[in-house]
């Protein structure tokens, strides 16, 4: 019984498939004239974002509202963190208000695990440092499932291009696509790859042009400069020429291949704007659309598990009575 959603490995293959199946139902809910179900009525979800975000935070909040939860948004810039309050005190204070789930984003690796030590609430990881971003990987798997009409990804090649080193999206996607049977190829300059990826279930290439013809899913990453300590690329124009996706490169992809990006995009750096908007290839907009349904599925599943756990605990007490 899953209490938290902090990484793809924690979710595991069966949890991943269960969530993707449940997402189908949420997509249907979202198409209704009133896209609302009572799954989380009476529950309170807090978004605790210590790092900038547009789509992830808003899609979690929309998802919680569509499940009828009460929502609270913690905004660091107006909180007592600015008066020196520690993360632990902040979490315990909010937790004491009787909340059911924290949705957490933080620039440091492992914070969602730490927070789950300090609260009884469920913790959902909305991105921790360079480490994990499980709901983004769920969004991406679901988008591919819909776009290519396949539930398993055996025989498919996912090529992830760019700033792998600083990317939690890449780490979560490698695990998730691997679980569903895909082959994963990483393409990046050596300076943007982690020092040792030999134990990762991936192939590595330094040349984008060499892998495009055998790519079914092309996943472009942003240069995450805010997570870099120094210049990892000589200059942006050179990076765009060597690793950016332009029309010449896009033409080398097989006709059925899809193009993805987690956003926010730096148009003209890792991806040409026209290619990103090409509806015959790009599923970038679908990724955003599916963001709400996936997060509804994730929170719904955690709430169901909570109910089962509470019921089990009651039975246990009964047995002793
Ligand atoms: C990503 C993130 O924050 O890790 N964005 C997102 O959640 N959609 C990727 C990025 O910042 O480049």
């Amino acid at each position: 019984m899953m209490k938290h959603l902090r990484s793809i490995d924690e979710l595991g293959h069966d949890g991943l498939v269960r969530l993707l199946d449940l997402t189908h139902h949420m997509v249907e809910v979202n198409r209704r004239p009133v896209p609302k179900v009572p799954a989380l009525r009476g529950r309170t979800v807090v978004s605790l974002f210590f790092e900038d975000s547009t789509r992830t935070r808003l899609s979690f909040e929309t998802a919680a509202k569509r499940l009828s939860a009460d929502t609270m948004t913690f905004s660091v810039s107006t909180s007592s963190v600015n008066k020196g309050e520690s993360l632990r005190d902040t979490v315990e204070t909010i937790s004491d208000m009787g909340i059911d789930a924290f949705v957490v984003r933080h620039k440091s690796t492992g914070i969602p695990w730490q927070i789950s030590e300090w609260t009884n609430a469920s913790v959902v990881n909305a991105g921790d440092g360079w480490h994990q971003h499980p709901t983004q990987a769920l969004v991406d798997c679901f988008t591919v499932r819909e776009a290519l009409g396949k539930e398993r990804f055996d025989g498919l090649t996912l090529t992830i291009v760019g700033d792998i080193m600083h990317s939690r999206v890449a780490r979560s996607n490698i695990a998730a696509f691997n679980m569903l049977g895909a082959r994963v190829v990483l393409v990046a300059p050596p300076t943007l790859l982690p020092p040792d990826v030999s134990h990762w279930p991936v192939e590595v290439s330094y040349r984008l042009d060499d892998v495009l013809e055998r790519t079914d899913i092309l996943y472009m990453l942003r240069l995450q400069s805010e997570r870099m300590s120094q210049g990892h690329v000589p200059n942006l124009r050179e990076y765009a020429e060597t690793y950016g996706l332009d029309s010449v490169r896009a033409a080398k992809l097989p006709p059925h291949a899809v193009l993805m990006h987690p956003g926010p995009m730096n148009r003209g750096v890792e991806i040409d704007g026209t290619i990103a908007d090409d509806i015959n290839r790009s599923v970038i907009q679908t990724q955003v659309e599916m963001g709400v349904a996936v997060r509804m599925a994730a929170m719904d599943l955690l709430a169901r598990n909570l109910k089962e756990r509470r019921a089990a605990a009651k039975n246990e007490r009964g047995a002793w009575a």
Side-chain angles (χ1 to χ4, degrees):
M1 265 187 282
M2 184 175 80
K3 179 171 181 185
H4 307 293
L5 174 53
R6 296 169 297 193
S7 70
I8 289 294
D9 283 341
E10 177 174 64
L11 185 60
H13 172 271
D14 293 354
L16 175 64
V17 172
R18 195 169 167 205
L19 264 181
L20 294 175
D21 289 341
L22 192 56
T23 301
H24 267 292
H25 169 63
M26 296 306 176
V27 169
E28 185 270 310
V29 168
N30 285 338
R31 291 203 181 116
R32 294 180 194 167
V34 181
K36 213 160 179 150
V37 286
L40 259 61
R41 199 167 50 199
R43 307 228 176 278
T44 304
V45 176
V46 177
S47 36
L48 199 58
F49 277 59
F50 290 90
E51 213 192 61
D52 298 342
S53 170
T54 302
R55 66 216 89 221
T56 305
R57 186 168 62 78
L58 292 180
S59 61
F60 264 112
E61 286 173 11
T62 307
K65 290 195 167 107
R66 291 195 181 166
L67 296 174
S68 308
D70 294 318
T71 55
M72 289 203 285
T73 304
F74 170 86
S75 141
V76 183
S77 57
T78 55
S79 74
S80 294
V81 168
N82 290 334
K83 298 181 183 168
E85 186 160 53
S86 70
L87 179 62
R88 182 174 185 154
D89 285 339
T90 306
V91 167
E92 287 179 350
T93 302
I94 301 173
S95 199
D96 287 344
M97 296 175 189
I99 64 130
D100 299 281
F102 280 107
V103 176
V104 181
R105 172 170 284 195
H106 201 283
K107 67 178 192 312
S108 303
T109 290
I111 294 293
W113 282 262
Q114 217 161 28
I115 288 181
S116 51
E117 301 282 311
W118 301 327
T119 176
N120 281 324
S122 291
V123 177
V124 184
N125 185 358
D128 65 322
W130 309 356
H131 182 223
Q132 281 284 305
H133 192 349
T135 57
Q136 181 66 46
L138 283 157
V139 165
D140 298 335
C141 288
F142 189 79
T143 303
V144 168
R145 222 165 106 147
E146 293 294 285
L148 300 181
K150 288 184 177 115
E151 295 207 347
R152 292 273 316 167
F153 300 161
D154 301 275
L156 294 181
T157 298
L158 163 72
T159 301
I160 307 180
V161 186
D163 185 4
I164 314 281
M165 168 114 91
H166 304 97
S167 177
R168 51 199 178 206
V169 172
R171 285 172 181 78
S172 283
N173 267 332
I174 291 167
F177 278 82
N178 214 269
M179 273 178 195
L180 295 176
R183 178 184 303 116
V184 182
V185 181
L186 305 182
V187 180
T191 48
L192 289 178
L193 277 170
D196 184 13
V197 289
S198 59
H199 58 288
W200 288 15
V202 295
E203 221 180 278
V204 173
S205 168
Y206 301 119
R207 285 173 52 91
L208 181 53
D209 293 304
D210 288 354
V211 300
L212 289 169
E213 278 168 27
R214 61 185 175 102
T215 293
D216 302 288
I217 307 146
L218 183 62
Y219 202 104
M220 306 304 294
L221 293 172
R222 183 176 67 88
L223 283 175
Q224 296 136 115
S225 334
E226 77 284 6
R227 294 177 209 156
M228 294 182 193
S229 51
Q230 70 232 21
H232 288 255
V233 290
N235 69 60
L236 287 184
R237 196 168 52 85
E238 193 174 318
Y239 177 82
E241 271 168 23
T242 328
Y243 291 99
L245 184 66
D246 58 12
S247 56
V248 178
R249 290 205 167 108
K252 290 186 185 163
L253 289 164
H256 67 269
V258 292
L259 168 64
M260 307 181 82
H261 192 300
M265 275 188 276
N266 285 150
R267 289 172 185 260
V269 181
E270 72 271 9
I271 194 165
D272 178 294
T274 330
I275 309 289
D277 297 334
D278 174 6
I279 49 162
N280 294 316
R281 260 240 196 273
S282 166
V283 293
I284 297 172
Q285 209 183 328
T286 319
Q287 286 173 276
V288 178
E289 279 167 25
M290 295 308 156
V292 176
V294 161
R295 289 167 179 124
M296 286 167 78
M299 287 189 282
D300 185 26
L301 194 62
L302 291 179
R304 286 187 205 195
N305 289 345
L306 183 75
K307 222 187 231 169
E308 285 168 25
R309 270 200 316 276
R310 281 185 182 154
K314 221 184 243 166
N315 286 343
E316 228 167 72
R317 269 202 302 277
W320 285 101

